[in-house]
């Protein structure tokens, strides 16, 4: 059972309805299911419930989404940083901390990787160029694994990945190591060797057909 955090939108449309919604692009549950897991959605909730929620799961995925509010890492908001998603920030940081305390396998995807870094005291670059094809369009670029890392044991050679982000890891959080880079030197994966199975990837595996990272998470959850 793999819990996946969700978006929280003030307005979404389907059928005849236009209502507030907790939602998740279908690529996320399909990725979990394709790797042999069962996906459970984790919409924002009271952060005090995070330990109880994580105790019922075998693995946790922090999904992509809006920019992390800069106050979370002690910075002022820059002009091109998006509006805050405070309920998501609070809930997902609590989920990350609960997973780290309990040793539950944890995967952060894009925003999820950035939140993992922030949870451990790291900071973010608030705007960078070259990792977004165009607004609403995923691009592709190559990432290269760092030898000897967890990520390299999962994906041992350079590979092309679906990408859409304008922020990135700046100062690494406590204990994190970079386990993959883009050609321009941007950290594309980070991991926490001291805490079991903890990995963050800057790209969007749910937008591609490579199951290896999610299959490794599901395997760790089964173990």
């Amino acid at each position: 059972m793999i819990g996946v955090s969700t978006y929280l939108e003030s307005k979404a449309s389907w059928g005849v309805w236009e209502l507030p919604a907790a939602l998740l692009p279908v690529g996320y549950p399909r990725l979990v299911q394709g790797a042999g897991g069962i996906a459970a959605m984790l919409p924002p909730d009271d952060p005090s419930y995070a330990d109880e929620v994580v105790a019922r799961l075998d693995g946790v995925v922090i999904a992509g989404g809006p920019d992390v509010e800069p106050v979370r890492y002690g910075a002022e908001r820059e002009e091109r940083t998006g509006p805050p998603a405070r309920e998501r920030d609070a809930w997902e940081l609590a989920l990350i901390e609960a997973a780290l305390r309990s040793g539950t396998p944890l995967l952060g995807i894009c925003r999820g990787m950035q939140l993992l870094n922030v949870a451990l005291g790291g900071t973010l670059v608030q705007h960078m160029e070259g990792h977004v094809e165009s607004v609403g369009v995923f691009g592709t670029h190559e990432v290269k694994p760092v030898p000897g890392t967890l990520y390299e044991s999962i994906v041992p050679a350079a590979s092309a990945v679906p990408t859409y982000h304008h922020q990135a890891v700046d100062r690494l959080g406590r204990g994190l190591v970079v386990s993959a880079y883009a050609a321009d030197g941007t950290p594309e994966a980070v991991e926490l060797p001291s805490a079991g199975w903890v990995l963050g990837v800057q790209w969007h595996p749910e937008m591609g057909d490579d199951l290896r990272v999610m299959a490794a998470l599901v395997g760790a959850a089964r173990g």
Side-chain angles (χ1 to χ4, degrees):
M1 180 73 74
I2 308 298
V4 186
S5 68
T6 76
Y7 288 70
L8 186 64
E9 298 297 322
S10 60
K11 184 169 64 175
S13 299
W14 69 98
V16 299
W17 305 107
E18 188 173 275
L19 294 168
L23 58 86
L24 195 63
V26 73
Y28 287 97
R30 285 181 175 168
L31 185 67
V32 172
Q33 293 159 358
I38 298 169
M41 292 173 62
L42 305 177
D45 207 331
D46 186 329
S48 68
Y49 298 157
D51 284 297
E52 182 180 353
V53 169
V54 170
R56 297 176 180 221
L57 300 169
D58 303 302
V60 175
V61 175
I62 305 299
D67 295 341
V68 181
E69 189 172 16
V71 70
R72 293 285 182 177
Y73 49 95
E76 297 288 331
R77 181 184 178 276
E78 296 178 5
E79 181 181 359
R80 287 177 285 190
T81 295
R86 295 188 177 107
E87 288 179 89
R88 278 198 70 178
D89 284 357
W91 174 238
E92 292 173 349
L93 284 167
L95 289 175
I96 289 168
E97 291 161 0
L100 293 178
R101 280 193 294 270
S102 63
T104 303
L106 172 66
L107 173 63
I109 292 176
C110 196
R111 162 188 164 88
M113 168 173 149
Q114 295 165 8
L115 266 177
L116 172 62
N117 191 56
V118 170
L120 292 168
T123 62
L124 303 179
V125 176
Q126 290 191 45
H127 183 76
M128 57 182 297
E129 301 289 348
H131 289 249
V132 172
E133 186 81 11
S134 59
V135 176
V137 178
F138 284 84
T140 302
H141 67 229
E142 188 175 84
V143 300
K144 185 175 182 180
V146 174
T149 59
L150 169 65
Y151 177 68
E152 193 257 353
S153 73
I154 300 166
V155 183
S159 61
V161 298
T163 183
Y164 190 91
H165 68 98
H166 83 114
Q167 298 196 330
V169 165
D170 186 12
R171 188 184 72 240
L172 279 173
R174 295 180 302 277
L176 288 172
V177 298
V178 178
S179 48
Y181 288 97
D184 64 2
T186 301
E188 289 282 336
V190 297
E191 57 193 60
L192 190 63
S194 63
W197 207 101
V198 177
L199 179 66
V201 297
Q202 186 58 77
W203 63 92
H204 286 267
E206 81 282 0
M207 296 303 298
D209 55 10
D210 189 337
L211 296 177
R212 287 178 289 180
V213 168
M214 186 59 72
L217 172 70
V218 171
R222 285 198 178 112

